[in-house]
Amino acid sequence: HCPTCDTNLNPDPYRECLADRTLESIVDKLFPMLKEADAEAEKKFYDGDGGGGGMTTRSSPKTSRAAAASSPSSLYHDEMDFCLVPDSSVDAAHRMPPLEMSSLRASGHLKVATMKKFLIMKLKLQQITPSSIEICCNGGQVGDELSLTFIQRTRWIQTGEEVTLTYRYGEEGMFG
């Protein structure tokens, strides 16, 4: 049983407790102070300040991941950097406002549908539905079911460069 919520974890606890990397990535972007505080608390715990018995020899996966995230040259094994910018090649009716920070890092499993929800939240467009936003790669619209990794491998033609995706209002979004 889980000591916190008393959920039965038998016979295999790893089947009941799975990490959601997409959600974790979004939470880390929205609340970076929580990620830093968690990494600091865990470091104190394993250094002996938090009742961990001075377990300094144990390498903490979360602390290692926090250190990796702070270094631009090392990413999680499935994370990638990408840019999400408004499509400047469309007329003003289809153009959307820019994000405050267009350079992003997320799991390669991140789907286009989740990117659309992210845009709606960050641009404060609650009256807009995800289906009214189009995300494009190299000028071609990409489907909601595609992941960043799939787009990079099949649609991105500038190898060695950061993937840049554009967004715009679709026909439905113009009148929404």
Side-chain angles (χ1 to χ4, degrees):
H1 287 275
C2 173
T4 304
C5 65
D6 202 36
T7 301
N8 185 0
L9 301 175
N10 289 329
D12 183 10
Y14 295 106
R15 291 185 63 189
E16 300 294 327
C17 301
L18 299 175
D20 185 342
R21 291 186 185 166
T22 302
L23 182 61
E24 181 180 359
S25 176
I26 290 170
V27 168
D28 288 347
K29 284 174 183 54
L30 294 176
F31 304 105
M33 71 297 266
L34 295 177
K35 181 179 179 181
E36 293 164 8
D38 187 43
E40 182 63 33
E42 190 166 321
K43 181 179 179 339
K44 279 184 182 180
F45 179 82
Y46 287 114
D47 285 346
D49 296 342
M55 299 170 61
T56 56
T57 57
R58 180 172 184 252
S59 173
S60 165
K62 223 173 192 174
T63 305
S64 301
R65 286 189 359 219
S70 66
S71 168
S73 62
S74 60
L75 301 173
Y76 298 115
H77 71 281
D78 70 335
E79 280 201 344
M80 57 186 285
D81 293 325
F82 68 102
C83 285
L84 195 56
V85 296
D87 191 340
S88 58
S89 67
V90 296
D91 57 43
H94 287 87
R95 198 164 301 137
M96 293 180 70
L99 289 167
E100 189 175 316
M101 302 278 288
S102 61
S103 292
L104 304 168
R105 178 180 294 168
S107 168
H109 300 292
L110 182 70
K111 304 281 187 201
V112 171
T114 307
M115 285 185 238
K116 290 180 178 184
K117 292 174 187 173
F118 175 77
L119 283 169
I120 290 169
M121 181 190 67
K122 292 304 274 183
L123 298 175
K124 297 178 173 88
L125 301 170
Q126 285 75 21
Q127 73 281 9
I128 301 295
T129 63
S131 62
S132 63
I133 297 174
E134 295 177 356
I135 294 185
C136 304
C137 180
N138 295 323
Q141 186 177 353
V142 292
D144 287 355
E145 72 285 355
L146 300 183
S147 69
L148 275 175
T149 301
F150 183 84
I151 292 168
Q152 181 187 38
R153 291 179 181 169
T154 62
R155 306 281 176 96
W156 187 243
I157 54 178
Q158 292 91 348
T159 56
E161 292 183 28
E162 190 173 79
V163 173
T164 300
L165 302 174
T166 59
Y167 57 91
R168 62 185 180 212
Y169 290 118
E171 291 300 318
E172 180 184 329
M174 286 178 59
F175 308 106

